Amino acid sequence: MKHTDIKRILGAPEEYFGKQVVVCGWIRSFRDSKNMAFMALNDGTTLNHLQIVINKAEVPALEDGASRLGSSVRIEGEAVRSFNKNQTVEINAAKVTLLGDCPLDYPIQKAKTSLDYLRTLPHLRVRTNTFNAVFRVRSKISAAIHRYFQERDYLYVHTPIITGSDCEGAGKIFQVTTLGYAPEYKSAEEYYAADFFGRKAGLTVSGQLEGEVMATAFGKIYTFGPTFRAENSNTTRHAAEFWQIEPEVAFAEIDDIIEIATEFIKYIIKAVLDECPDELALLERFYEPGLTAKLQKVVDDEFARVDYTEAVDILKKSGRQFVYPVEWGCDLQTEHERYLTDEVYNRPVFVVNYPKDIKSFYMKLNPDGKTVAATDLLVPGVGEIIGCSEREADYNKLLKAITDRGMKLSDYANYMDLRKFGSVPHSGFGLGLERILMYVTGMGNIRDTQIFPRAKDELR
Ligand code: 4AD
Ligand code: MG
């Protein structure tokens, strides 16, 4: 069906004044009077609606349904200058064709737009302004992520979704199997041996291990794809399926990768500021006052940096009654992260040099023998958005980290080889796409940054 995108017409009205156009879309509002009717039409290409003016004396009577909220229509008419202060162009309709009627039980009504309610309608909520904005920001930030790395000669790599190793060692792997319930197996080994791959397999929690393989051949790489974690905690920040961006950089040490992560975050946030002003204005109006100014500050100001040990001191001296008491060696809980970001720093902060026992096996051991060259980037309102580290490049130290944790060495033979054949210092990080989207859009629940969120007991 030949038609012009509403975004094009609103973006360059001068090109269209006086011309005949065809536009298609869904009715967002309909105002009727004796001689005239006004329709706000949205086709999804932009957050903004196009006004259709219907002069009843000139347009054949509308079909039943062609004036209802949610109905889809095709409009033929002339683009003319608009004297309404909110728009520059409108369409004087000559013909209105109903494409799909939308009966009155359409569940997306103006009065019912709470995010909780809309979450029950993932297939329809995307037609609202809120989700038009959120998913456009998601698309634009994704493009900016690729642009950042491509402009700097990083190789985009596609790491496997099905894997036999556990990068994070957190036991959150979804098993992949073709075998159903089978009580006849005498042991777990026998069961896994009979399965599709002849061994235990799962969905990847991270592309890092394979990313390191590519970085030690191509120097600079990044992944950008789905990762999976069987998170039992039902929080607003954890999803069972989420997208991760994982750059891996050979010859980079911890301070180098922190510099890259900082530049990268500023770059992609600036892209959203530049490319999504309307979307940010809407999100700011309904969800997070001051959103645009907050993001501009992220681009302009330096990020803070604090040693884990110092962060623990700050928390202990805060006088706060935390639910989880703080001691050196404990993992920082959301409440601790939020205290640091929201009350102490009020901007993104890198917490550096965590105790080795609360972090993954692959992180480089610091000279103190107790901490690792690892950092999390925490942001106000959300908490951790990036997990980052220099990798252990020393064969023997890595071997010890793996055996100390009781991990199965044979699962990591390839990974060990990278330390045997031409090992190099290298570092990388993982950014959770939905986490940064929460920060950038002001959505307080990760479920509102994904089309069909996957979480414990939630699969629509
Ligand atoms: O800190 P994580 O576990 O780090 C890694 O997976 C490393 N292998 C990354 C690397 O160095 N290449 O996860 C990285 C990020 C987190 O900071 C968070 O933003 C996001 O992934 N993330 C989640 N996002 C949504 N739901 C979950 N369940 C998440 N778990 C982690
Ligand atoms: Mg982490």
Side-chain angles (χ1 to χ4, degrees), residues 167-168 205-206 208 229 231 237-240 242 244 246-248 362 376 384-389 391 428-432 434-435 446:
C167 176
E168 294 307 308
V205 296
S206 159
Q208 179 194 325
R229 293 189 193 179
E231 299 280 357
R237 320 184 301 148
H238 289 90
F242 60 100
Q244 232 189 118
E246 296 185 273
E248 192 69 36
Y362 54 73
D376 284 355
E384 177 191 342
I385 62 168
I386 278 181
C388 174
S389 61
R391 320 309 188 186
F429 65 83
L431 169 69
E434 290 80 2
R435 291 274 177 90
I446 198 164

Side-chain angles (χ1 to χ4, degrees), residues 308-354:
Y308 167 88
T309 302
E310 194 190 331
V312 167
D313 277 349
I314 293 172
L315 292 165
K316 283 169 94 170
K317 289 189 190 132
S318 69
R320 276 292 172 92
Q321 272 316 110
F322 293 114
V323 179
Y324 296 90
V326 195
E327 273 313 318
W328 196 95
C330 77
D331 206 355
L332 297 184
Q333 303 293 325
T334 305
E335 54 174 346
H336 308 136
E337 295 180 351
R338 294 293 291 274
Y339 180 81
L340 292 171
T341 52
D342 299 14
E343 312 210 15
V344 181
Y345 295 101
N346 214 352
R347 59 192 159 129
V349 53
F350 284 104
V351 180
V352 198
N353 298 322
Y354 283 87

Side-chain angles (χ1 to χ4, degrees), residues 159-330:
T159 51
I161 302 281
I162 301 176
T163 130
S165 57
D166 180 356
C167 176
E168 294 307 308
K172 290 178 175 168
I173 295 199
F174 284 105
Q175 200 180 324
V176 171
T177 176
T178 52
L179 290 184
Y181 174 65
E184 66 269 24
Y185 298 110
K186 289 188 203 69
S187 65
E189 284 75 40
E190 199 184 302
Y191 166 72
Y192 292 126
D195 207 347
F196 190 86
F197 295 103
R199 54 180 289 202
K200 192 173 178 181
L203 296 178
T204 188
V205 296
S206 159
Q208 179 194 325
L209 303 187
E210 297 87 353
E212 287 186 50
V213 168
M214 292 299 268
T216 49
F218 291 87
K220 308 197 283 190
I221 66 95
Y222 70 104
T223 73
F224 188 169
T227 50
F228 307 86
R229 293 189 193 179
E231 299 280 357
N232 238 325
S233 51
N234 207 328
T235 76
T236 53
R237 320 184 301 148
H238 289 90
E241 176 175 334
F242 60 100
W243 281 58
Q244 232 189 118
I245 299 93
E246 296 185 273
E248 192 69 36
V249 186
F251 318 112
E253 295 171 311
I254 186 73
D255 288 338
D256 302 314
I257 198 73
I258 288 177
E259 206 177 306
I260 293 169
T262 306
E263 188 194 47
F264 167 68
I265 293 293
K266 286 173 180 260
Y267 179 98
I268 61 176
I269 289 187
K270 177 156 189 327
V272 173
L273 282 165
D274 290 346
E275 296 170 40
C276 306
D278 294 347
E279 288 75 8
L280 291 178
L282 177 116
L283 294 163
E284 168 150 356
R285 184 160 152 226
F286 291 108
Y287 301 102
E288 187 179 328
L291 179 64
T292 305
K294 171 188 92 175
L295 297 178
Q296 190 60 53
K297 256 175 77 64
V298 173
V299 173
D300 295 339
D301 293 355
E302 269 182 43
F303 291 5
R305 175 173 171 151
V306 63
D307 226 73
Y308 167 88
T309 302
E310 194 190 331
V312 167
D313 277 349
I314 293 172
L315 292 165
K316 283 169 94 170
K317 289 189 190 132
S318 69
R320 276 292 172 92
Q321 272 316 110
F322 293 114
V323 179
Y324 296 90
V326 195
E327 273 313 318
W328 196 95
C330 77

Side-chain angles (χ1 to χ4, degrees), residues 97-152:
T97 313
L98 178 66
L99 300 175
D101 181 22
C102 186
L104 291 171
D105 59 355
Y106 183 43
I108 307 287
Q109 299 289 335
K110 287 245 151 67
K112 285 176 146 187
T113 51
S114 85
L115 292 174
D116 288 341
Y117 170 71
L118 291 175
R119 226 169 278 139
T120 66
L121 300 161
H123 58 307
L124 296 175
R125 69 174 178 169
V126 288
R127 297 186 197 178
T128 62
N129 291 340
T130 294
F131 289 94
N132 184 298
V134 168
F135 287 108
R136 190 160 336 271
V137 171
R138 185 172 171 128
S139 171
K140 291 290 182 191
I141 206 170
S142 297
I145 287 165
H146 280 294
R147 224 167 38 241
Y148 175 86
F149 291 119
Q150 293 290 333
E151 283 171 354
R152 289 161 183 75

